[in-house]
Amino acid sequence: MQKLSNNRKIYRPIRPYRPPCYGVIIESAGWIVLAATWALVIISYEQLPYMIPIHFNPAGQADAYGAKSGILMLPVISTVAFFALTLINFLPRMLSLSETLSPLEAGRKYGGIILLLVTVKLIMAVAFGYLAFRTIQQAKGDPAGLGGWFLPVFIALTLFAVIIFMTGWLRNRYKINPET
């Protein structure tokens, strides 16, 4: 807890806030998708040809090829990003909110941020899992690519999560207080 010059306090939690029930389900789904991506890549690795697609254009078609070891970068990048966002869940003091917050407000705001991060982790894990799956399928001869819908859907899902979070944040911030 920090004191401000006008004796108002900012509460920054020491212990992590736990997401609600649906947050736990979203978090669990993210871990399952991350593990499934690793399993898919490891199981498929030996059957892959030496050259596989390593880059897709915005239309979802492969436009660069490289060694099959490049497939390992998808679960590695996904795991590093997943763990970085998970670390924030367990260290909410890293989040700096400049507003003055009561303990109840702090719980709501930090909890909301953590729920947003959990949702973004799931979206990211699904995107990398799908990338790994389609890369393996195309390396095995399926010419379909990612599909032109992949990039817009991934961006839309991420923006949707952020917009929902910001809408809730702003609605609570500018809620009319009947006592005033």
Side-chain angles (χ1 to χ4, degrees):
M1 175 174 32
Q2 296 176 344
K3 283 201 167 204
L4 300 176
S5 60
N6 59 357
N7 291 331
R8 297 185 80 187
K9 299 174 184 175
I10 298 176
Y11 288 90
R12 292 210 173 95
I14 296 172
R15 291 182 288 150
Y17 282 96
R18 299 289 179 224
C21 179
Y22 57 89
V24 173
I25 293 169
I26 295 170
E27 176 82 19
S28 300
W31 283 101
I32 290 168
V33 170
L34 186 63
T37 302
W38 273 105
L40 174 69
V41 169
I42 291 169
I43 290 168
S44 302
Y45 187 78
E46 289 301 319
Q47 290 86 29
L48 291 175
Y50 178 71
M51 297 294 284
I52 64 166
I54 59 169
H55 189 268
F56 294 87
N57 64 21
Q61 298 300 318
D63 61 359
Y65 292 84
K68 74 178 183 177
S69 60
I71 192 75
L72 296 173
M73 290 308 296
L74 292 172
V76 166
I77 292 169
S78 181
T79 301
V80 168
F82 198 92
F83 277 103
L85 292 174
T86 300
L87 180 65
I88 295 172
N89 287 356
F90 292 102
L91 298 172
R93 293 181 68 94
M94 290 174 50
L95 304 171
S96 177
L97 298 175
S98 60
E99 307 170 12
T100 58
L101 302 174
S102 70
L104 180 61
E105 289 172 321
R108 276 193 237 144
K109 297 227 179 193
Y110 283 103
I113 292 169
I114 289 171
L115 191 57
L116 172 66
L117 293 174
V118 167
T119 305
V120 169
K121 287 189 321 185
L122 175 61
I123 292 168
M124 179 203 57
V126 168
F128 276 96
Y130 182 75
L131 278 170
F133 174 74
R134 291 306 310 153
T135 298
I136 291 167
Q137 292 302 311
Q138 187 155 5
K140 291 181 177 181
D142 182 3
L146 289 177
W149 57 268
F150 173 75
L151 188 59
V153 167
F154 174 69
I155 291 170
L157 283 174
T158 305
L159 287 175
F160 180 71
V162 171
I163 289 169
I164 293 295
F165 169 76
M166 291 304 294
T167 301
W169 185 294
L170 292 173
R171 184 179 59 233
N172 289 337
R173 182 175 186 158
Y174 295 110
K175 187 183 283 187
I176 298 172
N177 187 353
E179 297 173 3
T180 58

